[in-house]
């Protein structure tokens, strides 16, 4: 009896969760979306495929980094080690925790120097080594950037080529005409599944990635992206979803290319790619996404399919994702400002902090009093594994 009752409860719960009145337009049912030999409609059970794809992508990532990216990094003589721990000192350890890694004020430094009989310069040097001790080496960051560049480059250009042959790429009204009875081709299906698998791989790899300054925002971004893809696939908003994926991939490969050029000491190329990246971000995420796709989702969709509950869920998720895009665009504008004023790209505020070059004494001078930890110019913008040594 207990088993039968549990089964009944599960059935009732599934019926409640997948209520047609929530997920589908009026006069549409799940029975209408049953596949046959000629028409392929999305099924929520398809989404399980994204998990094995995520593990496959993680395997490909580490294979690529070890056997392709690493030899390239060796060719460019990238640094493969990081400095070791500073000498243990209980007084400085206590002060380090108290000030949350930020270099304290001059008066505090003077007080510590008197207690330890050290110079303020010695304390600053100890503080810096303590700050950067567990940051990834240049080689590790380069290897991961090559993987991201490879993925985003292929994803964008293959996606653009595929979608350019679809009518909804040129006229967004075709995202909604005959919805939800829209056939999903095998090319769009695999495009969606691989992209979803990639974002699952980002979530799974966060445990080994370095926590960045915008860690919370990045977690929100990954969760929102996955939620958007799950919802859009389940309710067959795939046409609109595929355009959103392509728009976001349009800029990421440029960013990774700029970082790779920086690691290889091609500063002019790095700065040039960053400027192109900033312009593309403005065009795609700040202009096209809200004023074409979001506008189509808000107004055109009503004309063809009306309003039903999942409509509000989807647009809310897009709105939250767009808020993150605007936040990051503010950081990009700051970097462009520094590029115009100083002639070089300021390190992005989203990066982990570790110097790439220069002596330890020069690095100490970059410490800000009560302002945080030192930052290198042009370092990665995305999270990196926390590693003390590169194999």
């Amino acid at each position: 009896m207990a088993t039968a009752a549990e089964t009944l409860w599960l059935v009732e719960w599934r019926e409640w969760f997948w209520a047609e009145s929530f997920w589908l337009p009026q006069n549409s049912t799940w029975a209408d979306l049953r596949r046959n030999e000629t028409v392929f409609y999305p099924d929520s059970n398809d989404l399980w495929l994204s998990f094995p794809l995520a593990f496959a992508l993680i395997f490909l990532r580490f294979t690529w980094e070890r056997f392709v990216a690493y030899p390239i990094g060796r060719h460019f003589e990238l640094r493969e080690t990081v400095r070791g721990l500073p000498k243990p000192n209980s007084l400085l350890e206590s002060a380090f925790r108290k000030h949350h890694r930020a270099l304290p004020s001059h008066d505090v430094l003077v007080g510590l120097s008197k207690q330890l009989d050290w110079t303020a310069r010695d304390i600053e040097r100890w503080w810096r080594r303590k700050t950067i001790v567990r940051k990834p080496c240049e080689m590790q960051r380069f290897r991961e950037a090559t993987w991201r560049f490879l993925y985003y480059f292929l994803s964008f250009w293959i996606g653009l080529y595929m979608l350019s042959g679809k009518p909804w790429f040129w006229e967004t009204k075709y995202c909604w005409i005959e919805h939800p009875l829209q056939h999903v081709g095998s090319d769009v299906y695999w495009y969606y599944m691989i992209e979803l698998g990639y974002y699952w791989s980002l979530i799974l790899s966060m445990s080994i990635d370095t926590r960045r300054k915008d860690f919370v925002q990045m977690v929100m971004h990954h969760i929102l992206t996955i939620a958007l893809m799950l919802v859009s696939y389940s309710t067959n908003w795939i046409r609109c979803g595929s355009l959103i994926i392509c728009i976001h991939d349009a800029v990421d490969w440029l960013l990774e290319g700029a970082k790779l050029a920086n690691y290889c000491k091609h500063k002019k190329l790095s700065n040039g790619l960053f400027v192109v990246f900033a312009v593309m971000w403005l065009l795609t995420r700040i202009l096209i996404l809200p004023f074409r796709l979001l506008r189509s989702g808000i107004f055109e969709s009503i004309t063809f399919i009306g309003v039903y509950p999942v409509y509000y869920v989807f647009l809310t998720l897009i709105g939250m994702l767009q808020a993150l895009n605007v936040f990051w665009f503010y950081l990009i504008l700051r970097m462009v400002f520094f590029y115009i004023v100083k002639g070089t790209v300021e390190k992005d505020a989203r990066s982990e902090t570790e110097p790439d070059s220069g002596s330890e004494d020069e690095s100490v001078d970059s410490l800000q009093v009560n302002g945080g930890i030192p930052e290198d110019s042009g370092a990665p913008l995305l999270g990196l594994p926390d590693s003390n040594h590169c194999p």
Side-chain angles (χ1 to χ4, degrees):
M1 291 295 293
T3 303
E6 292 174 359
T7 304
L8 180 61
W9 175 87
L10 182 60
V11 170
E12 291 176 348
W13 182 86
R14 284 178 57 86
E15 290 178 352
W16 170 82
F17 183 82
W18 293 109
E20 294 168 345
S21 60
F22 179 87
W23 292 94
L24 300 175
Q26 288 185 351
N27 303 320
S28 297
T29 66
W30 293 118
D32 298 332
L33 294 174
R34 288 175 182 167
R35 302 168 180 170
N36 55 50
E37 296 180 356
T38 59
V39 180
F40 185 94
Y41 295 130
D43 188 311
S44 59
N45 291 319
D46 300 337
L47 297 169
W48 291 106
L49 177 62
S50 62
F51 289 104
L53 287 174
F55 287 106
L57 287 169
I58 291 174
F59 174 78
L60 287 175
R61 164 190 163 179
F62 288 112
T63 301
W64 168 270
E65 290 180 10
R66 182 65 184 89
F67 296 105
V68 179
Y70 182 66
I72 296 174
R74 292 291 298 271
H75 173 76
F76 286 100
E77 300 180 347
L78 301 183
R79 182 163 50 84
E80 300 185 45
T81 58
V82 295
R83 297 180 180 91
L85 282 166
K87 293 187 298 183
N89 188 294
S90 59
L91 181 60
L92 291 181
E93 293 280 359
S94 176
F96 189 83
R97 292 190 297 270
K98 178 181 178 181
H99 292 277
H100 306 288
R101 298 163 58 96
L103 189 69
S105 65
H106 177 71
D107 292 340
V108 175
L109 288 177
V110 171
L112 290 171
S113 64
K114 290 180 179 180
Q115 295 180 63
L116 296 170
D117 196 22
W118 287 16
T119 65
R121 189 73 168 179
D122 290 335
I123 295 176
E124 289 175 346
R125 185 177 293 109
W126 184 97
W127 206 279
R128 176 167 180 77
R129 294 193 65 176
K130 180 68 174 178
T131 298
I132 68 173
V133 65
R134 291 190 60 81
K135 299 302 176 183
C137 62
E138 188 179 38
M139 174 67 84
Q140 183 69 19
R141 300 202 305 268
F142 172 83
R143 288 162 58 180
E144 291 208 358
T146 62
W147 166 251
R148 291 192 296 268
F149 174 82
L150 175 69
Y151 177 82
Y152 289 126
F153 181 86
L154 293 176
S155 177
F156 170 67
W157 288 107
I158 292 175
L160 182 65
Y161 174 79
M162 175 195 67
L163 292 173
S164 63
K166 310 297 183 183
W168 66 85
F169 181 84
W170 305 102
E171 294 187 57
T172 53
K173 67 179 182 180
Y174 287 105
C175 290
W176 319 110
I177 293 177
E178 297 183 354
H179 176 83
L181 302 179
Q182 296 172 336
H183 170 72
V184 179
S186 59
D187 51 355
V188 177
Y189 169 81
W190 284 108
Y191 181 59
Y192 234 71
M193 289 297 110
I194 293 173
E195 193 78 12
L196 181 57
Y198 178 73
Y199 277 96
W200 279 125
S201 74
L202 294 180
I203 292 290
L204 294 172
S205 64
M206 277 188 168
S207 60
I208 60 172
D209 286 350
T210 298
R211 181 182 287 260
R212 296 192 335 237
K213 292 182 179 179
D214 68 339
F215 177 81
V216 174
Q217 291 90 337
M218 282 308 301
V219 172
M220 289 177 57
H221 173 269
H222 296 341
I223 292 175
L224 285 173
T225 302
I226 289 173
L228 270 169
M229 298 188 72
L230 295 177
V231 171
S232 61
Y233 189 86
S234 299
T235 195
N236 204 8
W237 282 39
I238 294 177
R239 293 183 177 183
C240 181
S242 62
L243 296 178
I244 294 173
I245 292 172
C246 189
I247 280 179
H248 280 80
D249 286 346
V251 298
D252 291 325
W253 67 276
L254 290 167
L255 175 61
E256 301 304 329
K259 290 189 288 187
L260 292 175
N262 178 68
Y263 293 138
C264 297
K265 310 301 185 293
H266 295 290
K267 297 293 184 181
K268 290 185 179 180
L269 177 59
S270 176
N271 290 341
L273 285 173
F274 177 79
V275 172
V276 176
F277 157 77
V279 172
M280 285 295 294
W281 188 291
L282 172 64
L283 292 176
T284 57
R285 301 197 185 191
I286 304 301
L287 296 178
I288 296 178
L289 180 59
F291 295 109
R292 184 168 175 81
L293 293 186
L294 189 54
R295 178 178 175 273
S296 175
I298 294 174
F299 299 109
E300 282 187 333
S301 64
I302 295 178
T303 302
F304 293 99
I305 62 177
V307 177
Y308 51 107
V310 80
Y311 165 90
Y312 298 105
V313 175
F314 191 79
L315 294 182
T316 299
L317 292 172
I318 295 180
M320 295 172 68
L321 188 62
Q322 184 60 17
L324 289 174
N325 287 333
V326 172
F327 165 74
W328 281 318
F329 186 61
Y330 160 72
L331 299 181
I332 292 170
L333 289 179
R334 284 181 52 193
M335 297 175 70
V336 171
F337 171 78
F338 275 87
Y339 176 73
I340 294 174
V341 173
K342 298 182 179 181
T344 186
V345 175
E346 180 201 31
K347 183 186 173 187
D348 182 68
R350 294 167 56 189
S351 306
E352 73 284 343
T353 56
E354 183 199 2
D356 282 336
S357 60
S359 67
E360 189 175 89
D361 289 343
E362 291 172 340
S363 299
V364 169
D365 291 334
S366 69
L367 282 167
Q368 301 175 353
V369 176
N370 288 327
I373 51 182
E375 299 182 343
D376 59 318
S377 175
L381 306 189
L382 300 179
L384 295 163
D386 190 2
S387 173
N388 284 324
H389 177 72
C390 296

